[in-house]
Amino acid sequence: MDLNIRPRRLRSSQGIRDLVRETNLTAADFVKPLFVVNGQNIRDEIPSMPANYHLSLDNLEAEVQRLVELGIKAVILFGLPEYKDAEGSSAWQQDGIVQQAVKGLKKKFPELLVITDLCLCQYTDHGHCGILEAGKIKNDATLERLAKVALSHAEAGADLIAPSDMMDGRVAKIRQVLDQNGFKEVGIMAYSAKYHSAFYGPFRDAAHSAPGEGDRSSYQMDAANSDEALREMELDIAEGADIIMVKPALSYLDIIKQASDNFKLPVAAYNVSGEYAMVKAAAEKGWLDEKSVALEILTSIKRAGADIIITYWADSAAGWLKE
Ligand code: PBG
């Protein structure tokens, strides 16, 4: 048999490569994380996450205007509160930092999708994502607090609420409190398969949310497990999640793939702080080309099956895609 199959034909020119490309990134795929702080005229670059900032409310609008002009359609907000206590009560203040940011943004940019991260770790003095009692994280006591936070975010005008705490039953609890209070249209993007990962290091510096004692392994998932991830996603869907998330992204592309193969609802992936910081650091040393590596990473996350990518490169990547 004269077998003469030439796969290189489909790579022989830019035109044919563009025609057969299976995965195309657009700015509409991205969600940009933003860190909001109290105070005035603050736009401090986060040392371990270059080109990302702590922003006071008066500087938030200009930053979001820039994102919108680049074609970014969604942001996820993280707040650094004025005070911390044992139960994280500053997380559900009506005029808390996140609540104020949501209100301001929805007023100024009604089309922008405003997502709020829902967790207690930035707000508790011990830095854990739940209520701590005798060295243990109390699941159901935490749910009561998360429900209050969710309601305060919905009241402020959030479009989607994204619980990242990894407590059992939180999606059902949040769905119930939202529905009972007339917020049926507010969606839930659940951090369903959130792993206990060392890739969150730079974020914890940025959000001042590292746990004082112990770690998060009693609630976040073991990196070694994938069946468990599917079980977590299945549960969140049954409890009413509109979007499921895998986090981190890069070391978990297999989990993203399984999520998109197994479940017919949108899959988000969180390209986390450590994944960003290591490329930035290598690029600063001249060891990697940031733009090429970042676009390759983002493409791989989408190719694996993510419909939505939360990434600190959202704005840079949107700019590169326009070039
Ligand atoms: C809060 C939260 C974390 C991240 C998002 N939400 C940190 C953590 O769980 O320790 C990590 C984001 C990142 O690393 O970019 N629970």
Side-chain angles (χ1 to χ4, degrees):
M1 192 179 55
D2 184 13
L3 192 62
N4 190 11
I5 295 168
R6 299 278 179 151
R8 285 186 56 202
R9 273 186 210 120
L10 297 182
R11 299 177 213 136
S12 59
S13 67
Q14 190 63 47
I16 192 84
R17 289 194 293 273
D18 287 348
L19 196 67
V20 302
R21 179 168 301 121
E22 296 173 43
T23 308
N24 287 291
L25 291 172
T26 79
D29 298 327
F30 305 139
V31 178
K32 173 75 178 181
L34 294 172
F35 298 93
V36 287
V37 300
N38 290 287
Q40 297 227 312
N41 201 22
I42 296 168
R43 188 173 194 271
D44 294 341
E45 192 171 44
I46 299 162
S48 52
M49 299 167 67
N52 286 268
Y53 302 87
H54 283 138
L55 294 163
S56 52
L57 294 175
D58 51 348
N59 280 337
L60 185 61
E61 193 179 303
E63 177 70 355
V64 171
Q65 182 66 42
R66 194 178 67 80
L67 300 175
V68 168
E69 282 166 16
L70 284 162
I72 303 294
K73 306 208 180 291
V75 297
I76 182 165
L77 299 178
F78 295 92
L80 280 79
E82 227 150 22
Y83 70 91
K84 300 181 190 237
D85 61 20
E87 56 168 0
S89 68
S90 56
W92 62 81
Q93 281 181 306
Q94 266 186 342
D95 61 348
I97 186 70
V98 164
Q99 291 81 353
Q100 287 186 55
V102 173
K103 259 183 234 160
L105 287 180
K106 286 307 292 184
K107 199 162 155 200
K108 178 73 191 169
F109 307 96
E111 303 292 309
L112 178 77
L113 196 77
V114 177
I115 307 171
T116 52
D117 178 86
L118 167 54
C119 198
L120 298 180
C121 61
Q122 288 114 269
Y123 304 88
T124 52
D125 50 16
H126 44 75
H128 278 286
C129 306
I131 299 300
L132 186 64
E133 252 177 55
K136 293 224 182 323
I137 302 299
K138 294 292 184 190
N139 194 86
D140 296 7
T142 303
L143 296 186
E144 298 303 322
R145 272 70 171 197
L146 293 174
K148 289 192 202 187
V149 187
L151 187 56
S152 75
H153 288 182
E155 283 168 350
D159 296 296
L160 279 173
I161 293 179
S164 66
D165 52 282
M166 286 303 276
M167 296 300 125
D168 295 335
R170 86 264 209 226
V171 173
K173 180 77 185 181
I174 294 165
R175 189 67 269 160
Q176 183 192 31
V177 77
L178 292 177
D179 289 352
Q180 281 170 351
N181 288 278
F183 294 106
K184 288 197 192 326
E185 76 287 1
V186 175
I188 299 177
M189 177 166 81
Y191 286 72
S192 302
K194 178 172 178 179
Y195 285 88
H196 181 239
S197 169
F199 283 100
Y200 305 152
F203 172 94
R204 291 181 188 167
D205 291 342
H208 304 166
S209 65
E213 271 178 50
D215 61 26
R216 305 208 202 290
S217 53
S218 81
Y219 40 105
Q220 299 180 343
M221 280 187 44
D222 184 339
N225 298 349
S226 67
D227 288 348
E228 188 185 350
L230 291 177
R231 178 82 181 125
E232 283 282 6
M233 293 185 230
E234 212 169 75
L235 280 169
D236 282 357
I237 295 166
E239 290 177 32
D242 300 283
I243 299 171
I244 51 176
M245 194 200 298
V246 176
K247 177 186 174 192
L250 207 45
S251 294
Y252 301 85
L253 293 176
D254 57 324
I255 310 296
I256 297 173
K257 173 77 176 142
Q258 290 189 64
S260 87
D261 283 351
N262 281 283
F263 304 111
K264 297 299 155 204
L265 81 179
V267 174
Y270 201 137
N271 173 215
V272 301
S273 57
E275 299 172 32
Y276 177 81
M278 61 189 186
V279 175
K280 280 284 189 187
E284 253 173 45
K285 285 186 173 281
W287 292 349
L288 283 179
D289 176 54
E290 181 190 2
K291 174 183 160 184
S292 310
V293 170
L295 290 175
E296 187 174 331
I297 288 174
L298 295 170
T299 301
S300 74
I301 295 169
K302 188 164 180 185
R303 189 195 62 226
D307 304 289
I308 300 163
I309 306 173
I310 304 170
T311 176
Y312 302 100
W313 273 299
D315 44 335
S316 314
W320 293 325
L321 292 172
K322 281 188 181 183
E323 283 172 6

